[in-house]
């Protein structure tokens, strides 16, 4: 490893590290605009100039590999003059619109001009102006501010894998634009807003709504998919104003999906802010006492075997624990957290987790994707697969729907016939997995939410075992969930008890009149028309499908409005914090269930969220291990059942409309319309 001296301090860095990284290792602060540690090096802003002994001129520290014996100076007069000159050039055409710029207060150019610039300009000619580009409903452009750092170009090309931004022209005529001025289509496009060091690319939905110093910032966890991305929610008063990513190299690095970032307007639209009771076929506002009285009347007139509960995709661990305890107190075995009907949870924890870990994708050398579209189900995880694919030497096979995943794939087949051939070792891709040192299989919910889902699960476990994908230091079997609540629900055992009914059984029983009370804890992704004449209690946040069918509505808290545990697809327990309070009379979900249990005469044994979380840890010890990827145990071995010939269908059809909050969002509706138009061949810029 090379050793070099920076400002009199000797440092040792890894082979291949840049001078800029060496300087930071020595504690020197190096300004930069184009350099970003997760993107390729472009070396075109020149703000990171430093002085190297024996070099006739300052060097760009971001683009020069650190070498043995280098002597670097970062604070000399020549370095100061060089940076002042670069800053003067960058500001030649930059407009003086800081007071009205949405980047004001968190702008790299603003900060570095103060720290490294001069107090006057020698430029006397007219400034150039650049026409703004239309990039769709998410990214707002004011391209006169652009300093051509090309971070956005490199991100969409390298990380997102949808190369829709580039440069045209040369010299003073250079402009950053989308190709043919089409709208962006990547599910990760919002990250260019964070990457842009000036105000050229900003958030269109957030534009002119708040200044950063007005906002209360809360670090929490995303619930829009099962990845558990680390986010920061910025709120003003009781209103969420924007969502930003937080860095976590083990989970989402520093990226988030567009649904995670722009969902915030759906948090205040179509909200349930008071209880409702249905009378004469119509819902009317009611008090909590009235709603609880109605529920109590129906439950006391029913029998335990005729009651059922379904937990939805956005339920936190605390609310599911309270729901499970309440149903147990009532004596009902009919409870399920798998509202899509996935055949999971009966074969041990290793059979429903992403065992390799999200970061483990970078160690894989062959991947088989079964019944899944990671680009729509977990865009940030898909970017991690692309990152590994770009390094080379990793074939990716797909069984199911053939979609553009932003990296080269080998399409193997549509359904179970191909899966059988790989399991039997007769398919060529079986050999690919066998010769790989760390093969990985990613099993999607589209392959599990079928009648033969358990047989598909067993077949996939057999494949990864027989191809050498399970060893002392590697477990290549991975289930990619689509719901933030699913792993937590499975860990807590929200599954049918003895002689209990799962979701298909509950719906079938409701249709036949065998189930007369159904408790929906935010469960909107079921066929509510199959609930028949059952008395439906809906506890949730939005006036969505479940609320439309409900006989009693209990208004709950959204994921940004409660402190709660979330368990991601790899089994990592993370604690989300409250960023705002629920609107009106809405309450945290566990508190509603605790209050209802008291009225029903089956008081739950906890009076605070701290007591409930302690009970969680006592029942499931993994909840006490926060922010670590747990060891899930051994994969089960068993006979493989009969699979049907039906092709696999992906679980997510419309990325922008997967849950009630998304369906309430105007921004998500615009994105969905744009995606539909793009599929039909429109440019996305018309109108």
């Amino acid at each position: 490893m090379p050793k070099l001296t920076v400002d009199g301090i000797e440092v040792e860095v890894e082979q291949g590290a840049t001078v800029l990284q060496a300087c930071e290792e020595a504690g020197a602060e190096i300004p930069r605009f184009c350099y970003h540690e997760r993107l390729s090096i472009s070396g075109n802003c020149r703000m990171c100039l430093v002085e190297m002994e024996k070099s006739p001129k300052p060097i760009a520290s971001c683009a020069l590999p650190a070498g043995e014996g280098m002597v670097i100076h970062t604070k000399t007069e020549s370095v100061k003059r060089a940076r002042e000159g670069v800053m003067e050039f960058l500001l030649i055409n930059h407009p003086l619109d800081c007071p009205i710029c949405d980047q004001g207060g968190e702008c790299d150019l603003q900060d570095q001009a103060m720290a490294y610039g001069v107090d006057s300009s020698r430029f006397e000619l007219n400034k150039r102006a650049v026409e703004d580009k239309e990039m769709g409903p998410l990214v707002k452009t004011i391209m006169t501010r652009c300093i051509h750092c090309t971070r956005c170009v490199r991100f969409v090309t390298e990380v997102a894998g949808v190369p829709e931004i580039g440069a045209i022209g040369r010299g003073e005529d250079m402009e950053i634009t989308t190709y043919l001025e089409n709208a962006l289509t990547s599910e990760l496009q919002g990250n260019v807003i964070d990457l842009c060091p000036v105000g050229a690319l900003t958030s269109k939905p957030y534009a002119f709504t708040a200044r950063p110093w007005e906002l209360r910032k809360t670090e929490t966890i995303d619930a829009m998919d099962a990845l558990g991305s680390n986010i920061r929610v910025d709120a003003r008063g009781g209103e969420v104003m924007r969502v930003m990513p937080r860095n976590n190299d083990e989970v989402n690095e520093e990226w988030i999906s567009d649904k995670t970032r722009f969902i915030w307007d759906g948090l205040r639209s179509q909200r349930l802010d008071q209880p409702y009771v249905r009378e004469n076929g119509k819902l009317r506002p009611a008090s909590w006492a009235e709603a609880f009285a109605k529920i109590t009347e129906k439950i006391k007139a029913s029998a335990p075997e005729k009651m059922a509960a379904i937990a939805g995709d956005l339920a936190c661990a605390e609310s599911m624990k309270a729901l499970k305890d309440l149903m147990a107190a009532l004596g009902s075995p009919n409870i399920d957290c798998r509202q899509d009907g996935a055949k999971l949870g009966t074969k041990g924890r290793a059979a429903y987790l992403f065992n390799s870990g999200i970061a483990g994708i970078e160690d894989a050398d062959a991947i088989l994707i079964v019944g899944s579209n990671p680009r729509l189900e977990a865009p940030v995880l898909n970017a991690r697969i692309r990152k590994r694919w770009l390094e080379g030497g990793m074939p990716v096979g797909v069984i199911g729907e053939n979609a553009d995943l932003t990296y080269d794939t080998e399409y193997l087949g549509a359904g179970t016939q191909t899966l059988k051939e790989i399991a039997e070792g007769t398919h060529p891709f079986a050999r690919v997995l066998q010769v790989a040192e760390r093969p990985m299989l990613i099993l999607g919910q589209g392959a599990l939410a079928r009648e033969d889902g358990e047989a598909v699960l067993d077949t996939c476990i057999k494949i990864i075992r027989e191809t050498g994908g399970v060893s002392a230091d590697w477990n290549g079997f991975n289930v990619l969930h689509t719901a933030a609540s699913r792993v937590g629900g499975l860990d807590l055992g929200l599954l049918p008890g003895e002689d209990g009914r799962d979701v298909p059984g509950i719906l079938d029983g409701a249709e036949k009149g065998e189930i007369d009370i159904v408790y929906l804890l935010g469960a909107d992704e079921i066929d509510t028309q199959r609930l028949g004449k059952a008395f439906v209690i809906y506890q949730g946040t939005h006036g969505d499908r479940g609320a439309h069918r409900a006989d009693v509505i209990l208004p709950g808290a959204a994921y940004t409005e409660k402190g709660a545990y979330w368990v991601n697809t790899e089994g990592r327990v993370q604690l989300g914090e409250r960023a705002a309070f629920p609107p009106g009379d809405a309450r945290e979900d566990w508190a509603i269930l605790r209050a209802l249990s008291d009225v029903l005469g089956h008081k739950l044994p906890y009076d605070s969220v701290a007591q409930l979380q302690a009970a969680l840890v006592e029942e499931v010890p993994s909840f006490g291990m926060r922010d670590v990827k747990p060891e899930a145990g051994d994969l089960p071995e068993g006979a493989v059942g009969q699979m049907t010939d039906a092709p696999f269908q992906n679980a997510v059809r419309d990325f922008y409309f997967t849950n009630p909050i998304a369906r309430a969002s105007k921004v998500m509706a615009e994105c969905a319309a744009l995606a539909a138009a793009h599929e039909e061949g429109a440019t996305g810029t018309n109108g």
Side-chain angles (χ1 to χ4, degrees), residues 23-101:
C23 291
E24 293 195 329
E25 190 74 24
E29 183 178 302
I30 306 297
R32 83 291 296 270
F33 290 114
C34 68
Y35 175 79
H36 191 279
E37 54 270 20
R38 301 195 194 276
L39 303 176
S40 62
I41 294 169
S42 63
N44 58 352
C45 80
R46 319 310 281 183
M47 196 63 204
C48 64
L49 293 175
V50 296
E51 186 179 328
M52 182 174 71
E53 288 189 4
K54 300 181 181 179
S55 172
K57 59 183 180 180
I59 62 165
S61 60
C62 73
L64 184 68
E68 182 69 33
M70 283 183 173
V71 180
I72 305 295
H73 302 283
T74 69
K75 300 174 183 176
T76 63
E77 187 61 30
S78 67
V79 170
K80 180 176 181 291
R81 286 198 309 270
R83 291 175 180 171
E84 288 174 351
V86 169
M87 180 60 70
E88 197 173 355
F89 273 116
L90 289 174
L91 294 176
I92 279 176
N93 286 308
H94 198 78
L96 303 177
D97 60 351
C98 291
I100 61 162
C101 176

Side-chain angles (χ1 to χ4, degrees), residues 30 42 69 117 176 263 333 429 461 494 527 537 551 563 566 603 676 681:
I30 306 297
S42 63
I176 302 293
I263 200 76
F429 203 81
I461 292 174
L494 258 76
D527 185 357
I537 306 156
D551 296 291
W566 303 92
K603 183 178 176 182

Side-chain angles (χ1 to χ4, degrees), residues 571-593:
R572 182 185 301 267
V573 176
Q574 300 182 105
L575 182 63
E577 300 288 351
R578 175 192 289 157
F581 285 90
D585 286 337
R587 296 291 182 267
E588 290 190 35
D589 294 293
W590 77 269
I592 296 172
L593 288 155

Side-chain angles (χ1 to χ4, degrees), residues 540-615:
T541 59
H542 285 72
D544 206 77
R545 299 163 185 163
H548 290 169
R549 172 58 187 83
D551 296 291
V552 172
I553 294 175
L554 306 177
Y559 70 103
T560 56
E561 298 162 359
K562 55 188 173 184
Y565 283 123
W566 303 92
V567 190
N568 76 349
T569 191
E570 61 182 357
R572 182 185 301 267
V573 176
Q574 300 182 105
L575 182 63
E577 300 288 351
R578 175 192 289 157
F581 285 90
D585 286 337
R587 296 291 182 267
E588 290 190 35
D589 294 293
W590 77 269
I592 296 172
L593 288 155
R594 162 65 180 76
L596 177 59
S597 71
D598 202 359
V599 176
L600 290 171
H602 296 282
K603 183 178 176 182
L604 297 178
Y606 25 79
D607 298 319
S608 68
V609 70
Q611 291 177 355
L612 174 53
Q613 289 174 343

Side-chain angles (χ1 to χ4, degrees), residues 128-133 143 146 148 153 165-178 181:
R128 77 164 193 163
V130 180
E131 186 178 344
D132 294 341
K133 316 301 180 195
M143 301 312 292
C146 179
H148 302 158
V153 178
I165 302 179
I168 58 173
R170 300 186 68 182
E172 192 179 53
D173 295 325
M174 179 178 171
E175 297 181 20
I176 302 293
T177 181
T178 55
E181 296 207 17

